[in-house]
């Protein structure tokens, strides 16, 4: 039951209507029940894995807070982390498990961060199992995050009984976020998946031009797919009176790879900084140790994303780029942006391939056959290419405006309701008419679901 499925189209309105009608003190319990129902729609056993992780983390958090001996607390934290890592590795890296439990990569990191915060005194253990269960399972963020911090999300969940609902402003802003996310996913990402998959599936039938074009298109596919999900998640949560973390901030306008990671998948990059890089020593133990810590952090990032060696290589590329880019800081910003985009495009090829063998084959074609061979083989017609171009230009235009401090949502909020209604209707109509649908495409599947 992904956000773009017809089932969810019926599921969320029912959940929200009941959410408004029940006594305010029961809101958290109702959202928890809805979240587990959402999880079970992917498979009942996945809800069981989530429940085991949640109960184990909740109990460990309470024990950490009660224990006074620092050494015992550290051993308890280590045991809890090992349990979560074992579950993650068992389901993610064991070939006998063909399907990854929904959201396990995200709620595992969230649980580890929660326990580490208790040990360090940055957070207190949550005693209410309903609030903590919802903190882990809240359905808008379950599948692909963002990875929330306890001091932020738990505080909001405790305040749910006092939230004024329904809130017309929240519904309008959340609805617009939801529409923009649907546009990015169905109009752009799912359409870009067609030529990208065609080329990467049988790259030997294409020339270097198609491989390069498919790689550039993949950069926009993964951005619109993941940013689209996050936008929808934030919109759904906002309608319910909850604010989720902003996970993307115009990442392709970054002036360095380090800046890129401040803008891309912000909740993951900040998690890696706070719970991997800094505990390893950060930059406090000399230059050499800093370099080692950066590389180890991005090795963890690569492994988290997948089992193939190409994911490990991708992580190492990003770690090495951050160590080497300090020599280019005096270059003009526009030139640094171009350099970062070129690097990101190359790294996305490494990320997207099925194996290092495929990567070697595609690089060989780029060097020895840098020509256009079979554009029709990319499986898009003239209108489809036009829609791709328009969609990408709209995303770029929005990011450029936002980078200059111009908010389209803020601008829309100041318009009269007939104009707003016209714009919303046009956006929704475009999604319905031009979105990618049909049996050939799994529109409920988001790319980051597999990581």
């Amino acid at each position: 039951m992904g956000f773009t499925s017809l089932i969810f189209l019926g599921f969320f309105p029912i959940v929200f209507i009941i959410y408004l009608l029940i006594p305010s003190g029961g809101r958290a319990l109702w959202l928890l029940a809805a979240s587990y129902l959402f999880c079970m729609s992917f498979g009942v056993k996945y809800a069981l894995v989530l429940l085991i992780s949640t109960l184990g983390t909740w109990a460990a958090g309470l024990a950490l807070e009660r224990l006074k001996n620092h050494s015992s607390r550290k051993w308890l934290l280590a045991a809890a982390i090992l349990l979560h890592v074992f579950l993650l590795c068992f389901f993610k890296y064991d070939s006998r498990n063909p399907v990854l439990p929904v959201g396990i990569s995200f709620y595992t990191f969230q649980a580890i961060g929660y326990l580490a915060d208790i040990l360090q005194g940055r957070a207190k253990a949550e005693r209410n199992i309903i609030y903590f269960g919802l903190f882990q399972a809240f359905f808008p963020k379950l599948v692909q995050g963002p990875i929330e911090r306890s001091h932020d999300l738990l505080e909001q969940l405790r305040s749910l009984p006092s939230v004024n609902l329904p809130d017309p402003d929240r519904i309008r802003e959340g609805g617009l976020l939801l529409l923009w996310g649907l546009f990015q996913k169905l109009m752009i990402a799912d359409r870009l998946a067609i030529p990208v998959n065609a080329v990467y599936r049988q790259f030997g039938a294409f020339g270097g031009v198609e491989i390069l074009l498919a790689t550039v298109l993949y950069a926009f596919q993964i951005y619109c797919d993941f940013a689209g999900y996050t936008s929808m998640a934030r919109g759904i949560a906002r309608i319910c009176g909850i604010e989720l973390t902003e996970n993307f901030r115009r990442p392709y306008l970054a002036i360095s790879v380090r800046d890129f990671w401040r803008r891309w998948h912000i909740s993951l990059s900040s998690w890696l900084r706070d719970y991997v890089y800094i505990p390893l020593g950060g930059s406090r133990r000399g230059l050499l140790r800093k370099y080692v810590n950066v590389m180890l952090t991005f090795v963890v990032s690569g492994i988290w994303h997948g089992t193939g060696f190409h994911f490990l290589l991708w992580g190492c590329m990003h770690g090495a780029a951050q160590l080497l880019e300090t020599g280019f800081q005096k270059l003009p910003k526009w030139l640094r942006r171009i350099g970062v985009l070129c690097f990101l495009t190359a790294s996305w090829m490494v990320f997207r391939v099925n194996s290092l063998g495929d990567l070697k084959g595609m690089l060989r074609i780029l060097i020895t056959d840098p020509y256009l061979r079979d554009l029709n083989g990319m499986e898009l017609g003239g209108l489809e290419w036009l829609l791709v171009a328009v969609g990408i230009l709209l995303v770029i235009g929005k990011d450029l405006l936002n980078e200059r401090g111009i908010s389209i949502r803020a601008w829309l909020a100041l318009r009269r309701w007939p104009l707003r209604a016209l714009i919303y209707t046009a956006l929704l109509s475009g999604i319905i008419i031009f979105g990618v649908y049909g049996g050939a495409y799994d529109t409920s599947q988001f790319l980051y679901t597999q990581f």
Side-chain angles (χ1 to χ4, degrees), residues 368-442:
T368 62
D369 188 15
Y371 306 106
L372 180 65
R373 294 296 183 189
D374 186 14
L375 186 63
N376 290 332
M378 297 183 75
E379 301 179 7
L380 286 187
L383 176 61
E384 299 289 312
W385 283 114
L386 177 62
L387 291 171
V388 163
V390 170
I392 290 175
L393 287 174
L394 286 173
V395 170
I396 293 173
K398 178 182 178 295
D399 279 359
L400 288 172
L401 288 173
N402 290 165
E403 190 74 2
R404 295 187 176 188
I406 303 172
S407 171
I408 297 176
R409 277 189 289 133
W411 179 85
L412 278 173
L414 297 175
R415 303 307 105 188
R416 294 182 179 275
W417 72 264
L419 178 59
R420 292 203 311 269
L422 180 63
I423 293 173
Y424 298 157
T425 303
L427 182 58
L428 181 59
S429 299
I431 294 168
I432 293 172
I433 295 171
F434 298 112
V436 177
Y437 301 98
Y441 313 114
D442 184 5

Side-chain angles (χ1 to χ4, degrees), residues 39-308:
C39 184
M40 285 189 290
S41 72
F42 295 92
V44 175
K45 60 183 178 180
Y46 302 152
L48 182 60
V49 175
L50 172 61
L51 181 61
I52 292 171
S53 173
T54 298
L55 292 175
T57 306
W58 180 65
L62 293 174
L64 276 173
E65 197 164 72
R66 290 195 184 105
L67 286 173
K68 303 301 180 183
N69 186 289
H70 186 67
S71 177
S72 299
R73 299 177 82 216
K74 289 178 69 175
W75 279 110
L76 176 59
L77 175 63
I81 290 176
L82 283 175
L83 170 64
H84 283 95
V85 171
F86 170 77
L87 286 172
L88 180 60
C89 291
F90 175 76
F91 286 107
K92 192 165 187 173
Y93 304 118
D94 192 326
S95 59
R96 292 171 295 180
N97 296 303
V99 181
L100 187 68
V102 61
I104 189 170
S105 296
F106 295 90
Y107 64 71
T108 295
F109 270 24
Q110 185 166 289
I112 292 173
Y114 166 77
L115 295 175
D117 285 345
I118 293 174
L119 180 69
Q120 297 298 325
R122 293 190 293 259
K124 291 187 176 182
E126 176 55 58
R127 285 170 170 73
N128 188 314
I129 185 59
I130 303 300
Y131 290 142
F132 185 76
L134 185 55
F135 168 71
Q136 285 290 88
F138 187 41
F139 71 90
K141 67 159 191 68
L142 176 64
V143 178
Q144 292 183 200
I147 303 168
E148 293 291 339
R149 304 297 179 91
S150 58
H151 60 78
D152 185 11
L153 183 54
L154 273 172
E155 280 295 321
Q156 294 188 68
L157 299 182
R158 295 186 195 108
S159 302
L160 272 180
S162 61
V163 174
N164 181 34
L165 291 173
D167 185 332
D169 290 336
R170 284 182 181 270
I171 293 174
R172 183 187 68 246
E173 293 172 3
L176 190 55
L177 279 170
L178 183 58
L179 278 177
W180 178 244
L182 284 169
F183 174 82
Q184 287 180 289
K185 170 64 175 168
L186 295 177
M187 281 282 290
I188 306 174
D190 284 351
R191 180 165 279 107
L192 291 177
I194 300 168
V196 170
N197 291 342
V199 172
Y200 275 80
R201 185 171 53 243
Q202 292 182 313
F203 60 87
F206 298 93
V209 171
E210 296 98 306
I211 289 175
L212 181 59
L213 176 59
T215 302
V216 173
L217 294 179
Y218 180 68
F220 286 99
Q221 180 198 352
I222 193 169
Y223 174 47
C224 290
D225 189 281
F226 196 16
Y229 174 93
T230 303
S231 181
M232 282 184 269
R234 293 180 65 219
I236 293 166
R238 182 170 293 179
I239 290 171
C240 294
I242 297 170
E243 294 294 326
L244 295 181
T245 301
E246 183 183 13
N247 224 9
F248 292 89
R249 196 175 296 124
R250 306 170 293 281
Y252 291 160
L253 296 178
I255 58 174
S256 66
V257 178
R258 182 175 301 177
D259 185 33
F260 169 77
W261 280 100
R262 296 190 190 105
R263 297 164 174 261
W264 173 274
H265 204 341
I266 298 169
S267 64
L268 173 63
S269 56
S270 63
W271 191 97
L272 291 170
R273 178 197 65 209
D274 294 345
Y275 302 113
V276 179
Y277 177 68
I278 292 177
L280 285 171
S283 58
R284 303 188 303 273
R285 300 183 181 179
L287 191 61
L288 178 59
R289 182 62 181 270
K290 173 187 174 181
Y291 289 172
V292 171
N293 292 342
V294 169
M295 291 303 298
L296 286 175
T297 300
F298 278 92
V299 164
V300 172
S301 177
I303 294 173
W304 179 85
H305 278 89
T307 57

